[in-house]
């Protein structure tokens, strides 16, 4: 039987560290979000709590497998927030292997990551997306990013919130390479764009893939800093906005805006399409879709 | 200046007849649906009426252009129903021309058609999709189909409704070619399928494309019969079901079921993806999306 993991060092030696990081970051995010649910006392509804569901990747033999845990909370501040962690390994199909770094000559891969999407009750609180991941084939690399989707891109509040998250990501980037932030911010703007609407999905953030600086431990440290930046910043933004008043018309506008989010994820998001086409866990992949949407 | 229309005869001689047919069928469908709105007297809401919006295809010179009219009604029986007619002409891009019959050597095309999607307030009334179209390049052909999407595929009512529409389509098909119905019914089942959910979008109907029997006038007559079958049958099904009682739980299940409709249209529907990628009218293309949807 072949080894169940490819031969890329030093990424291979970091796999367990990365997996544990993603899971501990998940725990910290869930704890932080549940504390926000507790803090929103003006609601009649009970404070939300995360529910966890584990899933296994279908497998034919011991050389592929793994799985993940979906954590989902339907609360009074967070209308629907999902935090997925997964650690999977196996073989890319020949079609995919040809397009994946290091997989052409050896299709075995290992991947671990965290992915988060938050859709909020209040139209005053921006929706958020965040993820980071580590991939190992004969090569190894990291990817990820995070961004905000406010209802009104040009409102003073949306500009303030976006500036705060952008600054936190910039600080995380600058600790590692001053070239990262401008590159990853532009990549985010380019990626989260709806060509058929000729509009941005949201207020941007950072996005990066195939990150392999030559120092795998430093790269892992970088995505940990990105994770901490999101963990420190987004909850602060939510707390600042969640008490602000809003109208039924605002809420209706939010439900329409969410339609653009669905259009992006189903028409363009490479992660979503990759997952659906490669037999990923459908519930986990589509957990990103908003709880209620209107196309009036 | 080149002729603005390609040289396919006899389809070219039927263009005006086809355009007038699609527009008159649109008028008959809208009249029939507005009469249903009037008939639903138990509602507190006013009877819906169609609103029409014309759009022009952006054009650089007289060799391309055309446009369409969106008719949309937000009523008390029909939560959202759109009926688009369009008649457009121009040149396929080289990328598309290579894949379109008769367009490889001459990229000019003319296309006219009608497209309808109905999403209903009541979870007891199936949603419906219907379209027929005529294409002319150096060749000429017809395409179209119609199908129902009930909330519960296996309910006695859904089975009865589907059988009635299927029988009407079969009668329309059998008047022209007994091979049509089994072929077009199977094509519909194959086409309206969500592989990532491993489930059918709905209860089926018929679906066909590239129809060119060798007798263009007979083919036009066939799609007219398909249109009449839908016009006679779907309003009868709506009237039969619209007074049936339903619960809030049924309505919630309908909003979730509609998520599958969105997933199909944005992930798989060739017409939607073709339209969005070729700069079609976004509002007209996405008029098919349901007015309210849940991914809970």
């Amino acid at each position: 039987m072949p080894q169940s993991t490819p031969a890329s060092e030093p990424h291979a030696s970091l796999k367990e560290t990365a997996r544990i990081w993603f899971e501990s970051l998940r725990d910290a995010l869930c704890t932080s979000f549940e504390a926000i649910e507790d803090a929103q006392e003006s609601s009649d509804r009970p404070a939300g709590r995360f529910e966890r569901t584990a899933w296994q990747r279908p497998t034919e033999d011991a050389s592929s497998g793994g799985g993940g845990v979906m954590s989902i909370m339907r609360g009074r501040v967070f209308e629907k927030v999902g935090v997925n962690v997964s650690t999977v390994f196996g073989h890319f199909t020949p079609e995919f292997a040809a397009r994946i770094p290091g997989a052409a000559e050896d299709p075995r891969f290992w991947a671990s990551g965290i992915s988060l999407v938050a859709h909020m009750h209040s139209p005053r609180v921006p929706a958020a997306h965040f993820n980071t991941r580590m991939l190992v084939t004969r090569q190894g690399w990291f990817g990820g990013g995070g961004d905000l989707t406010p209802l009104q891109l040009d409102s003073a509040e949306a500009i303030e919130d976006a500036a705060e998250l952008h600054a936190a990501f910039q600080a995380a980037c600058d600790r590692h390479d001053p070239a990262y932030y401008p590159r990853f911010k532009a990549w985010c703007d380019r990626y989260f764009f709806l060509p058929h609407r000729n509009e941005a999905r949201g207020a941007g953030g950072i996005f990066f893939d195939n990150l392999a600086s030559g120092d795998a431990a430093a790269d892992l440290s970088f995505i940990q800093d990105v994770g901490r930046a999101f963990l420190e910043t987004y909850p602060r933004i939510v707390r600042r906005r969640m008490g602000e008043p809003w109208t039924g018309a605002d809420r209706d506008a939010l439900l329409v805006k969410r339609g653009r989010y669905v259009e992006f994820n189903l028409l363009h998001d490479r992660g979503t399409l990759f997952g659906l086409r490669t037999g990923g866990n459908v519930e986990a992949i589509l957990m990103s879709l908003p709880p209620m949407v209107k196309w009036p």
Side-chain angles (χ1 to χ4, degrees), chain A:
Chain A
M1 197 177 79
Q3 289 178 257
S4 67
T5 57
S8 167
E9 293 291 348
H11 287 88
S13 68
L14 294 173
K15 291 193 294 188
E16 188 66 2
T17 310
R19 181 187 65 75
I20 291 169
W21 163 254
F22 294 130
E23 293 175 3
S24 66
L25 179 59
R26 180 267 321 269
D27 292 342
L29 286 161
C30 291
T31 300
S32 174
F33 291 175
E34 290 184 347
I36 290 173
E37 286 286 315
D38 290 335
Q40 172 69 310
E41 294 181 337
S42 62
S43 172
D44 292 339
R45 304 184 52 194
R49 286 295 177 264
F50 277 94
E51 291 178 19
R52 292 191 177 181
T53 309
W55 54 272
Q56 294 280 313
R57 189 159 176 270
T59 177
E60 287 172 9
D61 59 48
S63 70
S64 71
V69 177
M70 293 185 282
S71 299
I72 187 159
M73 177 168 73
R74 299 173 183 91
R76 56 191 184 185
V77 179
F78 292 83
E79 187 173 341
K80 178 183 172 188
V81 54
V83 190
N84 285 323
V85 291
S86 65
T87 301
V88 298
F89 56 95
H91 308 73
F92 285 117
T93 61
E95 181 198 352
F96 277 105
R99 296 190 281 139
I100 303 281
E105 71 271 30
D106 181 345
R108 288 175 295 164
F109 75 94
W110 178 96
S112 184
I114 178 171
S115 174
L116 176 157
V117 174
H119 295 285
M120 313 304 289
H121 272 292
S122 165
R124 307 290 295 176
V125 185
H129 155 257
F130 162 78
N131 87 83
T132 43
R133 60 191 173 275
M134 173 168 154
L135 268 289
V136 185
T137 60
R138 285 286 178 100
Q139 300 179 29
W141 68 95
F142 294 85
D147 63 288
L148 296 180
T149 303
L151 173 55
Q152 297 283 357
L153 277 189
D154 56 357
S155 71
E157 293 85 355
I159 291 167
E160 181 189 1
D161 295 343
E164 189 168 327
L165 185 66
H166 294 179
F169 280 147
Q170 178 163 17
C173 287
D174 286 354
R175 278 196 290 281
H176 296 269
D177 187 330
Y180 281 175
Y181 180 69
R183 203 173 129 224
F184 298 164
K185 181 177 191 301
W187 199 341
C188 184
D189 290 340
R190 219 160 48 233
Y191 183 78
F192 292 108
F193 186 80
L194 288 82
H196 64 287
R197 299 281 189 184
N198 194 32
E199 64 186 41
R201 188 179 80 168
I206 58 171
F207 183 94
F208 57 97
D209 202 0
N210 300 315
L211 179 71
S213 69
D215 182 341
D219 294 346
L220 174 58
S221 170
F222 168 62
I223 67 148
Q224 290 176 324
D225 280 343
V226 169
R228 286 184 200 103
F230 182 81
L231 172 65
E232 284 162 20
T233 311
Y234 185 59
R236 192 165 60 227
I237 292 169
V238 174
R239 286 174 181 265
R240 180 164 69 225
R241 299 292 170 215
M242 69 185 184
E244 295 184 359
W246 48 271
T247 66
D250 295 333
R251 172 79 185 168
D252 236 44
L254 175 66
L255 300 187
V256 174
K257 174 80 177 171
R258 285 176 175 172
R260 306 293 197 265
Y261 207 94
V262 175
E263 290 171 23
F264 180 84
N265 280 27
L266 297 182
L267 288 169
H268 298 294
D269 188 61
R270 287 194 292 257
T272 301
L273 300 178
F274 179 90
L276 294 177
R277 283 174 192 154
T278 54
N281 185 284
V282 175
E283 294 302 326
I285 296 164
L286 296 184
M287 207 169 66
S288 64
L289 297 179
M292 188 182 292
V293 184
K294 282 188 177 180
W295 282 275

